[in-house]
Amino acid sequence: MAGQVLLLIEGAVARVVLSHPGRFNAMSRSMWRDLRTTFVALQARDDLRGVIVCGDQGHFCAGGDISEYPGFRFDEAGLRDFHENDVWGGLQAMLDCDLPLIAQIEGNCMGAGVEIASCCDIRIAGEGAKFGAPIAKLGFPMAPREAELVAREAGLATARQMLLEAVVLDAAEMLRRGFVQAVLPDAEVVSDVVQRVQHLARWAPQAARLNKRTLRALASGRSAESLLSEAYAYADSAEHREGIGAFMAKRSPAF
């Protein structure tokens, strides 16, 4: 089996599951394509409030499915197509998604797993999680846009260690470095992530989507000035009025 990306919907919350049994959810080429299709579909929905991104069977993602690599990596055009269309297509669809994304990180989070986690807004890890991109041992670098993404989210010093020294870091160290927001006992990660996504789902979805667009623009290097022309179009929206009205009436808002 080439693995698959599963989409599960429960109420206003989506769960995207990386599933490649027997391979610690290593990303196959078809899984990258599935990832793109899944997040394009999620972006088009207006009934969801948040997305959990996780792996199957106690692991997040162990990297790429190396068993496929001899079929295309030794040809420059094939290698470029893989990274620029399949891999980056999946990652860009995640980055373009206006829904809040929470990564539920357990077990292995290597290479492609670090890249996918870097696309998420909030990252929660189990204490047994391991992070790295030891691809120097395999004789190839991380593609430039993928490296830029990891360096932005994990920090340039951490990216250097992962890529040049092939080090693997534990969850506590990644918390110290700011890549993950919390580290929990492995048995508590799933319930904590569910509580977090249910908590953020209570708030105005319009505000979340607009904040995601602002943060995405700033991450890409655009200035705040470039956002001003459409920054206040929500003024007369129902959610804006409900939030202010609920505060004035001392009641909980109903978004």
Side-chain angles (χ1 to χ4, degrees):
M1 290 183 62
Q4 56 187 327
V5 176
L6 305 173
L7 176 60
L8 310 174
I9 306 291
E10 184 173 348
V13 175
R15 182 180 288 272
V16 175
V17 184
L18 312 174
S19 179
H20 200 164
R23 302 207 175 167
F24 302 111
N25 308 321
M27 294 291 290
S28 65
R29 196 162 194 175
S30 63
M31 287 174 71
W32 283 114
R33 293 167 179 165
D34 286 349
L35 190 71
R36 179 178 188 172
T37 300
T38 298
F39 275 93
V40 168
L42 287 172
Q43 174 68 356
R45 296 184 63 148
D46 59 7
D47 60 330
L48 298 174
R49 301 290 184 94
V51 180
I52 297 170
V53 182
C54 63
D56 199 9
Q57 300 181 340
H59 290 276
F60 190 70
C61 172
D65 184 358
I66 299 169
S67 69
E68 293 185 335
Y69 286 3
F72 60 85
R73 287 197 69 96
F74 304 137
D75 170 72
E76 183 177 347
L79 182 60
R80 180 183 298 276
D81 180 62
F82 170 66
H83 280 288
E84 298 303 310
N85 294 314
D86 295 335
V87 177
W88 192 253
L91 297 174
Q92 187 67 66
M94 291 186 71
L95 293 170
D96 288 343
C97 184
D98 291 332
L99 293 165
L101 310 183
I102 300 183
Q104 174 188 305
I105 304 173
E106 304 165 274
N108 285 311
C109 182
M110 301 289 172
V114 175
E115 296 170 7
I116 291 169
S118 292
C119 295
C120 296
D121 304 295
I122 300 168
R123 294 175 281 268
I124 308 300
E127 58 190 4
K130 300 294 183 183
F131 301 78
I135 51 179
K137 297 179 180 180
L138 300 172
F140 59 85
M142 185 174 281
R145 285 197 289 192
E146 297 159 47
E148 180 183 38
L149 170 64
V150 171
R152 184 175 71 229
E153 295 299 315
L156 190 55
T158 297
R160 285 194 180 104
Q161 278 193 288
M162 287 183 175
L163 296 176
L164 301 181
E165 297 184 74
V167 300
V168 174
L169 301 169
D170 63 22
E173 182 62 20
M174 293 301 276
L175 175 65
R176 189 183 73 80
R177 298 184 184 207
F179 184 70
V180 300
Q181 282 70 50
V183 174
L184 301 164
D186 292 332
E188 299 177 12
V189 175
V190 175
S191 60
D192 180 85
V193 168
V194 169
Q195 290 175 11
R196 287 174 186 268
V197 76
Q198 289 175 343
H199 177 77
L200 66 83
R202 296 169 56 194
W203 314 127
Q206 175 181 250
R209 289 173 181 269
L210 292 174
N211 280 327
K212 284 282 307 255
R213 294 172 191 173
T214 298
L215 294 169
R216 181 166 59 242
L218 296 177
S220 69
R222 290 176 59 192
S223 70
E225 289 287 332
S226 69
L227 306 174
L228 293 180
S229 63
E230 299 179 358
Y232 308 108
Y234 66 87
D236 194 34
S237 66
E239 287 184 23
H240 190 203
R241 290 182 177 278
E242 168 61 13
I244 300 299
F247 180 85
M248 299 298 291
K250 295 181 172 56
R251 60 174 175 81
S252 296
F255 295 119

